[in-house]
Amino acid sequence: MELNGKVPSGSIEKKWENHRFEMKLVNPANKRKYDVIVVGSGLAGASAAASLGELGYNVKCFFFQDSARRAHSIAAQGGINAAKNYQNDGDSVYRLFYDTVKGGDFRAREANVHRLAEVSLNIIDQCVAQGVPFAREYGGLLDNRSFGGAQVSRTFYARGQTGQQLLIGAYQALERQVAVGTVELFPRTEMLDVVIVDGHAKGIVVRDLVTGKIHSFAAHAVVLATGGYANVFYLSTNAKGCNVTATWRAHKRGAAFANPCFTQIHPTCIPQAGEYQSKLTLMSESLRNDGRIWVPQRVGDTRQAKDIPENERDYYLERFYPSFGNLAPRDVASRRAKEAVDEGRGVGEGSGGVYLDFRDAIDRLGQQVIAERYGNLFDMYQQITGENPYEVPMRIYPAPHYTMGGLWVDYNLMSTIPGLHVIGEANFSDHGANRLGASALMQGLADGYFVLPYTIADYLAQTEGSPVTTDHPAFQQTEREVAERIQRLVDVNGTRSVDSFHRDLGKLMWNQCGMARNASGLQDALEKIPEMREQFWSDVRVTGSGEELNQELEKAGRVADFFEFGELMCRDALERDESCGGHFREEHQTDEGEARRDDERFAYVAAWEFTGVGNTPIPHKEPLEFEYVHLAQRSYK
Amino acid sequence: MRRVLQLYRSSVGKKAVMGVTGLMFFGYVAGHLAGNLKIYLGAEHFNAYAEFLREIGAPALGHSWFLWAFRIVLLAALLLHVTAAIQLWLMARSARPTNYRRPVHLEDSYVSRTMRWGGVVILIFILYHLMNLTWGTAHSDFIPGDAYHNLVTAFQSLAVSAAYIVAVIVVGFHLYHGIWSSLQTLGVNQEHHDRWRRTSAVIATVIVLGNISIPVSVLTGIVQ
Amino acid sequence: MQITLNVWRQASSMAPGRFERYVAKNVSEHMSFLEMLDVVNQGLIEQNKDPIHFEHDCREGICGSCGMVINGVPHGPKPAITACQLHMRSFSDGDELWLEPWRAKAFPVIKDLVVDRNALDRIIEAGGYISARSGSAPDANAIPIPKETADTAMDAAACIGCGACVAACPNASAMLFTSAKVAHLSKLPQGQPERRRRVLNMVEQMESEGFGYCTNHGACQTACPKEISIDFIAYLNRELLGATLVG
Ligand SMILES: Cc1cc2nc3c(=O)[nH]c(=O)nc-3n(C[C@H](O)[C@H](O)[C@H](O)COP(=O)(O)OP(=O)(O)OC[C@H]3O[C@@H](n4cnc5c(N)ncnc54)[C@H](O)[C@@H]3O)c2cc1C
Ligand code: HEM
Ligand code: HEM
Ligand code: SF4
Ligand code: F3S
Ligand code: FES
């Protein structure tokens, strides 16, 4: 396997422009002769499918929800970054580029990141033109806020529903193409495999979730926009349906999986309340602007918050990071919370949280100001926990939130399988080892509206529009394999539910490959996962049959893939014997407990090649060079 | 005309027709109340008024022309109102073939749900009312041309009065929801629909109380 | 606490449905409503029975997937939230609940509590968009939009397409959903060129899907988890009358 990033030459500002000029074009009259399959209708998939449809391609768009508008992107609350510099506070394309490379702890490709920063400008224009109701100032111009510790205000937002509004914009553009006839939608349809013909991705095999029918579709190119895999931890802030299935199956067909161990943990989520917990809810990070984080100083202190006097409270972030205080970066804040809980100083149900206390802010600003700023979030918290955060401090704990890793792609967003393109959270992306707040939405839309529609032409133009049909034996072969796997799942007829296995895997991954990792823990996980996987395949119980709407079967297929994928994730975490961004190896930290990178040995993208379930995968390395942003250690002291 | 027909094809159009005709009825009922209240001025005034109605437009138009034109418009409006009501009703029924085990009663007030049956009651009442006071076919002592007499003698029967009172209350409910609803249908309530709700409540109450006062006054002997 | 559930079970759109009775024991008040159903399903799987199918994804009230009628009320007894945001502390020990799918001709049942809501997508397809080709947009600040207008558009745009309005409406009308989209787009300057066509086509599509008509009951607004106001229905009505009569 060869990793050719295909980064264009020239100065960083000119790379994308030059590349667009140099790429091959598809003649407008010929576009309708090209079929493109897009899997996923999130920000990345919907924007790509709509834009490709506008260009005249024949697009088929697949997703497992009942409507394209329900893709997981809908849940993003905070906002979307763009280097518009509308606030005149010194922002620029270069600054956004710089912040993203640095924030990603120098594990992303510079050229991609610069392109992302460039097209961020167009995204906002595009969305406003579609009618996305971004927040505005009284003068009628767009409002911005500073997000996730950024030094400039470059985040655009629509109340607490930015992802929803952006997705609805893309979804509407998509429906418009459906009306015109360039895009066909396939709701409640799950992609279960990629079909490879002569080394190229030429189609997919899907299961109709309502009838259970397995069938396949052929196309000149396939685009995966299937989102992230944080649900490998079972409990995460992701929607219940988020999965690794599409990318994992592509990986098994030859697409390299890059940096799977790069996962992001969000520091402000509501802690788990019980064993039955099905997902975790994120509370906006903006809460840290006014809330103070603390735990009792004494281990095992079970007094109520109000009974713990000031001098027995440990405001640990303020103590460790006097200048950043409670606004320390996500990964740092998360790890410190874990430390406190591991020491036995956690609070609330199962001592599994830390306090986020607004008492001082309420004293200083008044309850009304706090209600204006955070009213919605406070209500949401109260509704979930039954506690009133105006009176008792909130309890928070970190939770898996976003996955930087994904299928490896070159500058054209094409994976190591020719014709298979990957966009949005599903690719290994532009965020390196850590993503900045409000940059995922930006990346999904950049890929879908402004990058892929151009770069895919470069591939399509080379295929000469040769017709593809599902008559090729590769299609029947792949369909058969998919059907067999489903039958195997139904036939196990064991004793334990799918969820119970998923929970066990999640716990193991969280403990050994979560916020902090170390060699022995990872080795332990690498031993246990294959055993658990075996147990799963011999003892899982999938009720019902494959020929109907069967949610247990859907889950079983996804969990089976997580069992294979989890192993790769731990292996990647073990091999990357350094700490960087969201990947924290306990062996590699400064005296202050900060992540310590090892640029000498690890300034590369790890792209794994599949060699069979249970076999050791082959690591490939794409070296990373930093010509513009100079390698430096992060410090938040 | 083509546009009006096109509009009528849509449910919003049918609703608009109900709204417009409904508002016409409201105008009629309001005017009718003003006329009815002349009962307190005595037989002469009241009968003169009834006569006056027949003479509007005369001599240019001739005796009762205006009244007939008016009746025809009202009758046509009633036909439209009722036809649209039936068409929409059928549409609603087919939109929910299986009902809930315990049907939902959220904000939809009791009043809004009784619009259809209220309408039927009103229709029956109007028929009876015409037979009673206009044609005299349902009146024990009907004297053509002496509206005052006909009215007072009719209301001296407790049963007749009670029927009128009930009917007027039903009309009031129909109007309470109807006035607000037609403004909503015609898109007048752009914002603050609640304010309009209060306005229609006040109007409906005035109409109900005004009309009820008449049989009550007859029964208590204030009007003889 | 212990909750008795009567759940609508229907194997497929063709099969007849009926209520089945389940008892959920040891329900914690901290559980979400859907987690309580997860636990019931866990029990069913242990007995080798088909678990209750219900739609869900985000479980935080934003994707619009979940939806069921709980004791006659879409999304359950608490206002302004979705079924997935409902917690068991809103119920008491010994409660008996009836769970039904959204019922409307335009929403055929697929299985149990899962219905097909693609009719709503087709209403959007008929005109619920602003045509803006990727890459052709003017600068985002080129057209200032008064904050009030932007805020009203946002109020309308908050709709999550869950269909509770249809479920609640005595006429099974999709007017609240449709009007929210018409208002979101037609109030904005960007939405003006397609304003007339939009409202005409969307209403026509709504009717051809078999939804009922709106008689201004207002139940939709009460059931709506996003508190979309029926003011938007008045707005749609005016838009439609204007578009048909004035052109
Ligand atoms: C709670 C939360 C808040 C967030 N807030 C922010 C924020 O404020 N700012 C920000 O920038 N980012 C935020 N993020 C991150 C961001 O929302 C996501 O990274 C981004 O939306 C992912 O978009 P996507 O298009 O790549 O994938 P998704 O939106 O996840 O879409 C995946 C699509 O793929 C389909 N799919 C998946 N698998 C299959 C399959 N096998 N077959 C068929 N279809 C399939 C699904 O149906 C879906 O349509 C947040 C994330 C979470 C969890
Ligand atoms: C004095 C007579 C009447 C008056 C003043 C009147 C007035 C109104 C008004 C103002 C409306 C509101 C229309 C809208 O929402 O746009 C209405 C609705 C209605 N009317 Fe009447 N109406 C009268 C008689 C009738 C009759 C005789 C019937 C039927 C037999 C009837 C049936 C209805 C129905 C069913 C509605 C509800 C429409 C709906 O919301 O579905 N009405 N009426
Ligand atoms: C207590 C209340 C009412 C009184 C005292 C009353 C009285 C009268 C009288 C005296 C007439 C005869 C007029 C004439 O022929 O010269 C009349 C006619 C009529 N009334 Fe009423 N009325 C009352 C309520 C109503 C209501 C509520 C309605 C409608 C819903 C109504 C509708 C009519 C109509 C349609 C006519 C016939 C008008 C015509 O001649 O064309 N009335 N009423
Ligand atoms: S208007 Fe409200 S109830 Fe109707 S679909 Fe939208 S969010 Fe759901
Ligand atoms: S409940 Fe139904 S009748 Fe109209 S106001 Fe709402 S759609
Ligand atoms: S599951 Fe998404 S709104 Fe309830």
Side-chain angles (χ1 to χ4, degrees):
Chain A
M1 183 179 288
E2 187 208 356
L3 297 178
N4 179 356
K6 297 213 186 103
V7 173
S9 54
S11 76
I12 193 120
E13 291 87 3
K14 290 278 174 220
K15 280 184 201 289
W16 177 229
E17 202 183 320
N18 293 345
H19 188 63
R20 268 197 303 182
F21 180 71
E22 281 156 15
M23 270 185 298
K24 297 195 183 62
L25 294 174
V26 174
N27 180 325
N30 283 337
K31 287 200 175 108
R32 67 189 165 75
K33 295 188 195 143
Y34 287 96
D35 297 313
V36 181
I37 283 173
V38 178
V39 187
S41 66
L43 284 181
S47 59
S51 305
L52 291 168
E54 279 168 14
L55 287 169
Y57 296 110
N58 243 324
V59 182
K60 291 189 170 63
C61 182
F62 300 81
F63 41 92
F64 63 75
Q65 290 93 347
D66 67 323
S67 167
R69 65 182 295 154
R70 307 204 203 285
H72 167 62
S73 296
I74 199 104
Q77 305 166 348
I80 177 167
N81 287 334
K84 280 286 196 185
N85 193 28
Y86 282 158
Q87 304 305 322
N88 196 23
D89 55 1
D91 198 10
S92 64
V93 166
Y94 199 82
R95 186 179 295 278
L96 177 55
F97 157 68
Y98 179 91
D99 288 355
T100 308
V101 172
K102 190 160 167 265
D105 227 4
F106 300 94
R107 291 295 174 261
R109 217 185 264 146
E110 274 191 337
N112 285 53
V113 177
H114 197 277
R115 173 176 68 190
L116 174 65
E118 284 172 57
V119 302
S120 73
L121 306 176
N122 309 1
I123 295 173
I124 302 304
D125 300 343
Q126 176 66 24
C127 295
V128 167
Q130 287 171 342
V132 170
F134 283 123
R136 287 182 183 263
E137 299 163 350
Y138 280 102
L141 301 180
L142 291 160
D143 193 18
N144 291 111
R145 60 186 174 203
S146 144
F147 197 75
Q151 307 289 322
V152 289
S153 290
R154 60 160 76 103
T155 304
F156 295 77
Y157 64 100
R159 299 222 176 117
Q161 302 153 15
T162 316
Q164 182 203 23
Q165 292 309 316
L166 295 173
L167 182 60
I168 287 176
Y171 154 77
Q172 287 170 185
L174 186 64
E175 291 291 351
R176 172 171 161 251
Q177 291 314 118
V178 173
V180 180
T182 56
V183 177
E184 197 184 343
L185 300 181
F186 294 84
R188 297 190 193 274
T189 308
E190 183 164 31
M191 172 200 139
L192 293 177
D193 221 329
V194 191
V195 182
I196 313 285
V197 177
D198 302 331
H200 288 241
K202 285 295 169 217
I204 58 171
V205 174
V206 301
R207 177 166 181 270
D208 178 326
L209 299 181
V210 178
T211 61
K213 195 169 163 251
I214 308 271
H215 48 158
S216 44
F217 292 88
H220 294 89
V222 176
V223 181
L224 297 188
T226 50
Y229 50 81
N231 276 352
V232 69
F233 294 108
Y234 186 68
L235 287 181
S236 83
T237 65
N238 283 15
K240 291 294 285 175
C242 291
N243 65 85
V244 76
T245 291
T247 47
W248 184 250
R249 308 260 171 120
H251 172 62
K252 290 171 88 171
R253 296 277 172 202
F257 211 112
N259 299 337
C261 77
F262 287 172
T263 52
Q264 186 173 66
I265 310 295
H266 197 286
T268 50
C269 305
I270 301 177
Q272 184 173 358
E275 258 310 289
Y276 50 79
Q277 187 93 22
S278 61
K279 76 155 285 178
L280 297 169
T281 304
L282 180 135
M283 303 290 294
S284 167
E285 229 172 335
S286 62
L287 290 168
R288 290 203 277 145
N289 290 332
D290 285 306
R292 297 181 70 193
I293 295 176
W294 64 276
V295 290
Q297 276 181 352
R298 190 156 52 78
V299 168
D301 191 339
T302 52
R303 286 175 293 174
Q304 294 205 318
K306 64 173 177 6
D307 301 327
I308 302 180
E310 200 57 28
N311 61 356
E312 290 178 42
R313 298 176 174 198
D314 179 12
Y315 296 91
Y316 56 87
L317 285 179
E318 297 171 18
R319 180 162 60 84
F320 283 124
Y321 312 100
S323 58
F324 271 80
N326 294 298
L327 290 172
R330 287 181 177 181
D331 53 332
V332 175
S334 300
R335 261 194 323 273
R336 294 295 182 192
K338 176 175 156 61
E339 253 169 43
V341 169
D342 289 351
E343 286 162 17
R345 300 194 291 150
V347 298
E349 190 81 26
S351 305
V354 300
Y355 285 129
L356 176 63
D357 198 340
F358 287 85
R359 187 193 61 188
D360 296 347
I362 290 173
D363 286 349
R364 183 163 37 94
L365 303 164
Q367 176 149 341
Q368 186 163 357
V369 175
I370 294 298
E372 270 164 26
R373 286 191 194 162
Y374 310 111
N376 283 350
L377 294 165
F378 277 38
D379 291 349
M380 180 169 114
Y381 180 85
Q382 178 159 20
Q383 175 211 304
I384 293 174
T385 61
E387 292 170 4
N388 179 354
Y390 294 103
E391 282 158 16
V392 293
M394 280 185 181
R395 290 172 294 108
I396 56 165
Y397 198 63
H401 175 56
Y402 181 85
T403 54
M404 283 74 70
L407 291 183
W408 183 91
V409 289
D410 63 15
Y411 190 73
N412 286 338
L413 304 180
M414 190 160 83
S415 70
T416 52
I417 302 177
L420 182 74
H421 296 73
V422 191
I423 58 177
E425 194 175 337
N427 71 22
F428 86 107
S429 87
D430 308 344
H431 306 294
N434 184 37
R435 172 177 72 78
L436 294 182
S439 282
L441 302 180
M442 169 173 76
Q443 182 228 335
L445 291 180
D447 288 358
Y449 283 132
F450 299 112
V451 179
L452 181 88
Y454 298 112
T455 58
I456 201 170
D458 197 52
Y459 171 78
L460 290 173
Q462 293 165 25
T463 65
E464 303 289 344
S466 53
V468 273
T469 67
T470 53
D471 296 338
H472 192 281
F475 281 88
Q476 280 94 56
Q477 176 61 25
T478 316
E479 273 185 40
R480 217 172 307 125
E481 287 169 24
V482 167
E484 273 166 19
R485 185 178 161 98
I486 288 177
Q487 200 51 46
R488 257 179 73 205
L489 281 170
V490 175
D491 288 346
V492 176
N493 202 10
T495 59
R496 287 178 54 195
S497 71
V498 178
D499 279 349
S500 73
F501 280 104
H502 196 173
R503 269 202 192 91
D504 286 356
L505 173 68
K507 252 183 226 151
L508 179 73
M509 294 300 292
W510 179 238
N511 290 336
Q512 312 294 35
C513 198
M515 258 186 286
R517 303 144 178 195
N518 59 47
S520 73
L522 290 165
Q523 264 146 3
D524 171 62
L526 281 171
E527 267 165 43
K528 285 207 180 109
I529 295 172
E531 288 165 21
M532 289 167 79
R533 186 169 59 224
E534 203 137 298
Q535 241 177 8
F536 172 84
W537 278 103
S538 60
D539 199 22
V540 72
R541 172 180 289 175
V542 178
T543 50
S545 76
E547 286 85 49
E548 57 180 333
L549 179 65
N550 187 338
Q551 294 174 332
E552 285 302 304
L553 179 60
E554 292 165 29
K555 285 194 282 192
R558 294 172 193 160
V559 173
D561 291 331
F562 279 133
F563 269 115
E564 295 174 7
F565 169 75
E567 199 179 341
L568 181 69
M569 200 170 138
C570 293
R571 186 165 308 279
D572 186 45
L574 182 63
E575 292 287 307
R576 190 168 283 278
D577 196 11
E578 64 159 351
S579 294
C580 61
H583 170 64
F584 187 77
R585 282 286 297 267
E586 286 165 351
E587 302 92 321
H588 302 285
Q589 48 182 314
T590 62
D591 296 340
E592 292 100 29
E594 297 298 335
R596 188 189 279 138
R597 277 196 335 259
D598 184 347
D599 295 326
E600 290 284 294
R601 293 166 60 213
F602 293 100
Y604 63 75
V605 176
W608 296 88
E609 181 181 341
F610 183 76
T611 55
V613 179
N615 298 347
T616 312
I618 304 170
H620 298 271
K621 294 173 187 173
E622 181 199 344
L624 293 169
E625 275 142 43
F626 295 91
E627 286 180 60
Y628 294 87
V629 187
H630 295 295
L631 285 163
Q633 202 74 32
R634 275 192 329 169
S635 171
Y636 290 98
K637 273 284 175 181
Chain B
M1 196 61 205
R2 194 192 44 125
R3 289 196 158 152
V4 175
L5 285 178
Q6 187 193 339
L7 179 64
Y8 191 78
R9 281 218 326 268
S10 81
S11 66
V12 177
K14 292 190 183 69
K15 258 326 278 289
V17 165
M18 297 206 63
V20 171
T21 52
L23 284 183
M24 286 165 64
F25 298 149
F26 159 61
Y28 174 78
V29 171
H32 190 43
L33 170 68
N36 289 345
L37 290 178
K38 285 188 193 292
I39 199 88
Y40 294 112
L41 299 178
E44 249 165 75
H45 263 97
F46 192 71
N47 287 342
Y49 165 73
E51 188 55 27
F52 160 76
L53 289 179
R54 289 169 174 72
E55 294 302 332
I56 295 180
L61 288 175
H63 180 74
S64 287
W65 278 27
F66 176 84
L67 188 64
W68 274 108
F70 189 75
R71 284 172 174 166
I72 288 167
V73 170
L74 270 188
L75 195 68
L78 189 69
L79 279 175
L80 284 174
H81 194 82
V82 174
T83 316
I86 294 172
Q87 284 177 333
L88 290 172
W89 192 345
L90 292 176
M91 191 171 156
R93 274 185 41 168
S94 87
R96 171 157 305 129
T98 335
N99 208 344
Y100 297 104
R101 184 188 150 274
R102 287 199 355 203
V104 203
H105 292 317
L106 292 172
E107 183 181 302
D108 56 328
S109 52
Y110 185 70
V111 184
S112 76
R113 273 179 291 113
T114 47
M115 286 303 274
R116 291 165 194 158
W117 289 112
V120 173
V121 170
I122 296 171
L123 202 61
I124 296 170
F125 164 74
I126 291 176
L127 223 82
Y128 166 74
H129 182 47
L130 290 175
M131 287 160 71
N132 176 235
L133 291 182
T134 305
W135 307 325
T137 40
H139 197 290
S140 50
D141 179 19
F142 191 76
I143 308 178
D146 192 350
Y148 187 89
H149 163 86
N150 296 339
L151 193 153
V152 173
T153 46
F155 284 174
Q156 273 160 355
S157 144
L158 190 66
V160 173
S161 278
Y164 268 79
I165 290 172
V166 169
V168 163
I169 290 174
V170 172
V171 169
F173 277 141
H174 198 82
L175 279 180
Y176 161 56
H177 182 74
I179 295 172
W180 171 82
S181 173
S182 55
L183 296 178
Q184 179 84 358
T185 301
L186 299 174
V188 182
N189 309 350
Q190 291 268 340
E191 273 152 47
H192 316 300
H193 56 265
D194 287 333
R195 196 182 305 154
W196 285 105
R197 243 195 244 273
R198 284 193 292 276
T199 312
S200 34
V202 170
I203 295 175
T205 314
V206 169
I207 288 183
V208 170
L209 293 182
N211 275 328
I212 289 185
S213 76
I214 298 170
V216 171
S217 302
V218 172
L219 286 176
T220 51
I222 297 172
V223 169
Q224 299 184 342
Chain C
M1 52 186 169
Q2 176 168 320
I3 306 279
T4 306
L5 299 169
N6 299 280
V7 185
W8 185 261
R9 302 301 307 261
Q10 182 170 342
S12 71
S13 56
M14 294 303 164
R18 68 194 144 82
F19 285 100
E20 293 229 13
R21 204 178 173 82
Y22 306 103
V23 178
K25 296 197 179 97
N26 301 324
V27 175
S28 146
E29 54 159 19
H30 295 302
M31 277 181 182
S32 77
F33 193 79
L34 300 190
E35 282 165 353
M36 182 273 294
L37 288 180
D38 288 344
V39 173
V40 172
N41 276 345
Q42 184 69 34
L44 287 173
I45 295 169
E46 274 156 28
Q47 299 166 40
N48 225 345
K49 288 189 183 142
D50 204 20
I52 303 162
H53 279 58
F54 58 91
E55 200 127 39
H56 65 100
D57 200 19
C58 73
R59 296 208 176 189
E60 51 186 65
I62 193 70
C63 73
S65 293
C66 64
M68 60 188 81
V69 172
I70 303 168
N71 277 3
V73 183
H75 289 307
K78 285 194 78 182
I81 57 170
T82 54
C84 62
Q85 291 175 293
L86 188 61
H87 278 72
M88 293 315 291
R89 67 181 74 87
S90 304
F91 299 92
S92 2
D93 189 27
D95 275 359
E96 176 164 15
L97 305 179
W98 296 80
L99 309 188
E100 294 176 77
W102 289 170
R103 294 201 188 277
K105 184 170 96 184
F107 290 168
V109 173
I110 293 178
K111 183 169 181 176
D112 300 344
L113 304 173
V114 179
V115 300
D116 178 352
R117 285 171 292 191
N118 287 135
L120 298 182
D121 296 306
R122 290 188 291 270
I123 294 176
I124 300 296
E125 185 191 321
Y129 48 75
I130 291 174
S131 300
R133 194 175 269 279
S134 302
S136 66
D139 184 80
N141 259 347
I143 310 173
I145 301 176
K147 186 173 178 354
E148 293 75 17
T149 311
D151 284 349
T152 313
M154 180 64 225
D155 288 341
C159 164
I160 57 175
C162 62
C165 46
V166 178
C169 175
N171 306 317
S173 171
M175 268 298 252
L176 193 63
F177 170 83
T178 309
S179 69
K181 189 46 63 192
V182 167
H184 162 208
L185 299 175
S186 296
K187 289 212 175 220
L188 291 171
Q190 287 84 356
Q192 297 312 307
E194 291 161 304
R195 186 168 163 183
R196 182 170 174 273
R197 284 182 38 208
R198 175 178 306 123
V199 67
L200 290 174
N201 294 344
M202 287 178 74
V203 169
E204 191 174 314
Q205 186 65 33
M206 175 180 83
E207 281 164 11
S208 67
E209 294 289 350
F211 291 106
Y213 70 112
C214 170
T215 53
N216 306 323
H217 282 292
C220 51
Q221 152 181 285
T222 314
C224 175
K226 297 296 153 188
E227 301 183 286
I228 307 280
S229 161
I230 55 173
D231 284 349
F232 295 127
I233 295 185
Y235 177 82
L236 178 147
N237 288 333
R238 182 145 96 179
E239 290 285 301
L240 187 90
L241 295 178
T244 328
L245 295 177
V246 186

